[in-house]
Amino acid sequence: MFSLKSKFRKFLPLEKSGKPYILPTLYGIGFLFLIVDIFALGYYRDNAPYHTVGLTLIVFGLVAMIHTNANIQNIAIELLDCEPMAAGESSEIRFTVQGTGTAPVHNLWIELPNGAPYSADRATFLEVSSAIDGSLTVHCSKRGVYSIDKIKLISRGVYGLFQAWSWHAAKTNLIVYPKPRGNNPLPTGTESQAKKLEGATLTKTLSGDDFQGHKPYILGDSLQHVDWKAYARGQDMLIKDYSGEGSEALDLHWDDTRGTTEERLEQLSAWIVLMNRAQRPYSLHLPTLSLSRGSGARHDAEAYYALATFEEV
């Protein structure tokens, strides 16, 4: 029996604050040159008001630096969840961010580290006081399970003269399963085989139930169920829907697929997507493990994890 007890971790809150770093922005560098110019004019003209203005600007710059540094430290963030995603597509890492100080936090950016096998868009908040829900859109083109162990918080405060940032520890996994694609129809379910062995009449339809109507064709559906007469009349490809078909459990086997390792995994992924849409229970059987029958988000996550981490022996 395949178990993910040691593989899936509870989404834990991040550390309240990491070590902050701070550097001047382009505006801050321009502000520094302005101060230097003012003192230079005061020196050459021997004019005290220039010195007074320069000292005032220095004090303002120090206040801006202190405020920006405090701004980045008064933040708490917690990762909520990350839905499994197909290779080449995107998913969202949801989180909650909250200011912990008395004053709101301004101009806050949240992002994942650069150089990872995945990429993520930056989340931006102009002001954070109470708890706010947000998300990071993540993209990844290669299947696998990628550990996200830190997240970056960036802020320029109110004045924009300095940029402060800090790293916060994170504990979550990004599950990227094979892209769902393949032309093979779903394998015959165990219940359907049992009905045939019990002597089901041949006058029944392919599913053994009454015709209910049509539904759009989805890649992976059996071509035997396509209404070819409707297609010949110029309509889109439609599948004949029969009662009872949606509740039949199926066993998805590695041996029922063909092609390279990745093509087989993609076909199994396509079948799982079809089973999810039909809300049908299924089992998954790979050369290295077997996942018993089940349905629901937890069962799907285990199946996607198995496909994402599969390595042929």
Side-chain angles (χ1 to χ4, degrees):
M1 179 65 66
F2 177 61
S3 173
L4 295 181
K5 186 175 181 180
S6 62
K7 304 260 190 325
F8 281 91
R9 302 176 181 176
K10 182 180 180 182
F11 295 104
L12 300 175
L14 305 182
E15 296 178 358
K16 184 176 180 180
S17 61
K19 181 180 178 180
Y21 302 88
I22 189 167
L23 284 174
T25 64
L26 291 177
Y27 295 107
I29 295 174
F31 185 77
L32 176 61
F33 277 110
L34 175 62
I35 294 176
V36 172
D37 289 341
I38 289 176
F39 272 105
L41 287 172
Y43 175 79
Y44 285 109
R45 296 188 178 185
D46 194 21
N47 194 328
Y50 280 99
H51 297 157
T52 303
V53 173
L55 290 173
T56 302
L57 292 178
I58 289 176
V59 173
F60 177 80
L62 290 174
V63 170
M65 183 172 64
I66 294 172
H67 181 274
T68 305
N69 184 69
N71 194 69
I72 199 65
Q73 295 191 63
N74 295 330
I75 284 290
I77 185 169
E78 179 182 5
L79 291 183
L80 299 179
D81 59 26
C82 179
E83 295 292 332
M85 58 181 287
E89 298 182 4
S90 61
S91 183
E92 290 187 344
I93 299 178
R94 299 193 305 115
F95 60 84
T96 296
V97 62
Q98 181 175 8
T100 58
T102 56
V105 175
H106 297 89
N107 298 328
L108 179 67
W109 300 328
I110 300 175
E111 62 182 31
L112 296 180
N114 295 323
Y118 51 82
S119 61
D121 298 336
R122 172 186 286 180
T124 303
F125 299 91
L126 297 180
E127 181 177 308
V128 177
S129 53
S130 58
I132 298 178
D133 293 332
S135 63
L136 290 166
T137 302
V138 187
H139 313 270
C140 189
S141 58
K142 184 179 180 181
R143 72 174 178 93
V145 176
Y146 304 101
S147 176
I148 299 177
D149 56 4
K150 61 182 178 179
I151 193 169
K152 188 178 184 180
L153 272 66
I154 308 169
S155 177
R156 291 189 175 184
V158 176
Y159 308 104
L161 299 179
F162 295 89
Q163 178 169 294
W165 70 94
S166 62
W167 291 100
H168 294 244
K171 297 294 181 182
T172 188
N173 288 327
L174 177 64
I175 302 174
V176 184
Y177 56 89
K179 186 177 182 64
R181 56 186 173 190
N183 297 321
N184 295 338
L186 283 167
T188 304
T190 302
E191 286 81 354
S192 179
Q193 293 176 352
K195 289 179 182 179
K196 291 180 181 179
L197 292 175
E198 291 171 359
T201 63
L202 297 178
T203 58
K204 290 286 185 178
T205 61
L206 291 174
S207 65
D209 294 290
D210 297 330
F211 176 71
Q212 298 294 305
H214 292 96
K215 59 183 180 181
Y217 172 80
I218 301 174
L219 184 63
D221 284 340
S222 174
L223 295 178
Q224 300 177 19
H225 290 194
V226 174
D227 190 339
W228 295 111
K229 292 183 179 179
Y231 185 71
R233 292 194 297 267
Q235 299 184 32
D236 295 334
M237 290 187 70
L238 301 173
I239 297 295
K240 295 179 181 179
D241 190 16
Y242 300 95
S243 62
E245 189 180 14
S247 61
E248 181 184 4
L250 291 182
D251 300 319
L252 307 180
H253 287 270
W254 174 268
D255 293 337
D256 291 333
T257 62
R258 297 291 182 269
T260 64
T261 297
E262 293 304 318
E263 289 173 342
R264 288 181 171 220
L265 293 173
E266 290 172 352
Q267 181 63 77
L268 289 169
S269 180
W271 285 345
I272 291 175
V273 171
L274 290 176
M275 297 300 286
N276 290 338
R277 291 176 179 174
Q279 299 181 347
R280 299 168 66 178
Y282 63 91
S283 64
L284 178 64
H285 303 276
L286 299 175
T288 55
L289 61 89
S290 291
L291 182 64
S292 59
R293 283 188 181 180
S295 60
R298 177 67 181 182
H299 183 73
D300 295 338
E302 292 181 354
Y304 288 139
Y305 189 98
L307 296 180
T309 58
F310 177 78
E311 293 184 7
E312 195 167 16
V313 179

